[in-house]
């Protein structure tokens, strides 16, 4: 069921959240929030995404705001710390924001940086977390197979939990997985699932040991759970740099999974200087449950009139995409 656009517009609020460090090329994260019969939801596809892709994110938000979600199987979700492509010297200060997290996800292969920068950053994380800490790295599909193989060897000494989306294509992932199999470092697929017209292709090709799934890009909790069931692989639930409202959508997905073997990437509220609600990690986890934005925060973090108009126009276009597809 696609609610009328007017119902979305009626409660829509556009916010701009300032960040501690530049992440994914942005210093401020924008999002559109609206309220439905079941509560608040988030629509925040990145600004460069075309409407056809962004419409899937709107479907996820509508699903969360209008439909009853699956029964949660757990009350709290273990989360990882997220380390952007910062200088190694800043790692201890950043990790201190992720209270009690036993796992860290480290961004690598950032444009303008060398492998030596990645090694220094991961080494700093290992030193800060100690031998019992779990470290995963995320290359966001930036390496070719040879570059990825070299990087995995260079980072192997830090006892990686897995390497996420080291290469762009499914065949590249499959080849790399075979090349580094003897090292015992699993390969995880993220973009190959959430940005693919066939999210199960990576599982069928044997190109990954686990999948990284996100509620918004996969069209909502219900659809994401269907993908997990069909893929038959372990999964990590992560965020797309969401506000606390979007993180609550991710937590609902994680809480509904029969198995949850890995800490989730749902602690990213700690990357923001301010948020619309409180959902930062405490003792390495976040609670499961719906959130209501703080009215004062909505006012404090309101986007400019120009940016609000941009998001409202995008909302209308994506709503049209969904309504057209429904008929």
């Amino acid at each position: 069921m696609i609610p009328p656009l007017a119902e979305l517009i009626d409660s829509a609020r556009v916010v701009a959240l300032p960040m501690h460090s530049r992440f994914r090329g942005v210093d401020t994260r924008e999002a559109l929030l609206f309220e439905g019969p079941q509560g608040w939801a988030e629509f925040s596809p990145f600004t460069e995404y075309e409407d056809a892709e962004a419409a899937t994110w709107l479907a996820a938000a509508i699903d969360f705001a209008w439909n009853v979600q699956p029964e949660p199987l757990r009350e709290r979700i273990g989360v990882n710390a997220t380390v952007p492509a910062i200088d190694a010297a800043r790692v201890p200060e950043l990790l201190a924001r992720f209270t009690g997290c036993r796992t860290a996800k480290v961004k690598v292969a950032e444009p303008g940086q060398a492998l030596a920068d990645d090694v220094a950053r991961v080494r700093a994380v290992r030193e800060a977390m100690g031998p019992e800490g779990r470290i995963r790295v995320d290359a966001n599909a930036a390496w070719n197979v040879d570059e990825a193989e070299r990087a995995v060897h260079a980072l192997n000494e830090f006892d990686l939990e897995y390497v996420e989306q080291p290469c762009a294509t499914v065949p590249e992932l499959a080849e790399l997985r075979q090349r580094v199999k003897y090292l015992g470092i699993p390969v995880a697929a993220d973009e190959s699932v959430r940005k693919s017209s066939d999210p199960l292709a990576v599982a069928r090709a044997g190109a990954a040991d686990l999948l990284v799934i996100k509620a918004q890009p996969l069209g909502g909790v219900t659809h994401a759970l269907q993908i997990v069931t069909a893929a038959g692989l372990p999964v990590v639930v992560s965020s797309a740099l969401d506000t606390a409202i979007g993180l609550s959508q991710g937590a609902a997905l994680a809480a509904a999974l029969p198995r949850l073997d890995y800490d989730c990437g749902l602690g990213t509220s700690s990357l923001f200087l301010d948020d619309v609600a409180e959902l930062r990690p405490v003792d390495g986890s976040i609670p499961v449950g719906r959130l209501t934005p703080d009215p004062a925060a909505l006012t404090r973090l309101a986007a400019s009139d120009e940016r609000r108009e941009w998001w409202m126009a995008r909302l209308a276009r994506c709503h049209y995409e969904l309504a057209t597809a429904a008929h």
Side-chain angles (χ1 to χ4, degrees):
M1 192 273 293
I2 310 290
L5 178 61
E7 290 190 33
L8 305 185
I9 292 174
D10 187 53
S11 62
R13 303 292 294 269
V14 180
V15 294
L17 277 56
M19 304 185 64
H20 282 284
S21 303
R22 191 171 182 81
F23 186 82
R24 209 190 170 280
V26 299
D27 300 301
T28 303
R29 178 67 166 121
E30 295 179 342
L32 187 152
L33 312 176
F34 55 72
E35 186 180 16
Q38 300 298 327
W40 284 85
E42 175 172 337
F43 169 59
S44 59
F46 293 105
T47 54
E48 69 270 21
Y49 288 4
E50 298 292 338
D51 291 345
E53 183 176 358
T56 302
W57 297 54
L58 180 57
I62 290 171
D63 174 65
F64 197 67
W66 260 261
N67 299 327
V68 176
Q69 298 299 296
E71 190 69 25
L73 303 178
R74 44 190 69 83
E75 295 181 352
R76 297 191 69 86
I77 303 298
V79 299
N80 64 247
T82 300
V83 181
I86 57 174
D87 186 87
R90 296 183 56 202
V91 164
E93 165 231 333
L94 182 138
L95 289 177
R97 299 187 204 128
F98 293 86
T99 309
C101 292
R102 63 180 181 175
T103 303
K105 173 169 146 175
V106 186
K107 291 290 185 178
V108 294
E110 187 77 1
Q113 294 193 355
L115 179 57
D117 299 308
D118 297 334
V119 171
R121 189 179 312 111
V122 176
R123 176 178 285 112
V125 173
R126 173 55 70 202
E127 290 173 352
M129 299 193 72
E132 294 184 356
R134 305 174 184 180
I135 299 177
R136 53 187 70 158
V137 298
D138 181 8
N140 287 118
W143 291 319
N144 62 37
V145 177
D146 291 336
E147 290 169 336
E149 183 180 18
R150 178 169 173 259
V152 169
H153 279 94
L155 298 169
N156 182 48
E157 65 174 289
F158 304 114
D159 187 25
L160 299 183
E161 184 180 40
Y162 61 78
V163 55
E164 180 177 329
Q165 199 69 46
C167 306
T169 70
V170 171
E172 286 177 319
L173 289 179
E175 181 179 347
L176 178 69
R177 185 168 175 248
Q178 290 304 311
R179 289 194 193 185
V180 302
K181 193 173 184 179
Y182 75 98
L183 293 174
I185 299 176
V187 173
D190 177 7
E191 285 89 341
S192 293
V193 178
R194 65 181 169 88
K195 294 180 75 69
S196 173
S197 59
D198 181 5
L200 298 177
V202 67
R204 287 198 297 268
D209 299 283
L210 62 148
L211 307 181
V212 178
I213 60 171
K214 300 176 180 178
Q216 283 203 77
L218 292 180
V221 174
T222 302
H223 190 234
L225 288 172
Q226 293 170 350
I227 291 172
V228 172
T229 300
L233 291 175
V235 299
V236 176
V237 179
S238 193
S239 79
L241 201 58
D242 304 332
T243 76
I245 300 302
L247 292 175
S248 71
Q249 295 172 214
L253 170 56
L257 289 169
R259 290 187 59 183
L260 195 61
D261 300 323
Y262 296 88
D263 287 332
C264 298
L266 298 173
T268 48
S269 185
S270 292
L271 295 173
F272 298 131
L273 289 165
D274 198 358
D275 205 342
V276 297
E278 181 57 44
L279 198 62
R280 299 176 191 271
V282 175
D283 296 329
S285 68
I286 60 171
V288 176
R290 289 187 176 272
L291 294 178
T292 299
D294 174 24
L298 288 176
T299 300
R300 185 172 66 245
L301 296 168
S304 67
D305 290 344
E306 179 184 359
R307 294 307 299 163
R308 184 180 189 280
E309 289 177 9
W310 186 92
W311 276 96
M312 298 303 283
R314 189 186 208 190
L315 174 66
R317 295 194 308 271
C318 291
H319 183 273
Y320 176 80
E321 291 263 354
L322 292 181
T324 302
H327 291 90

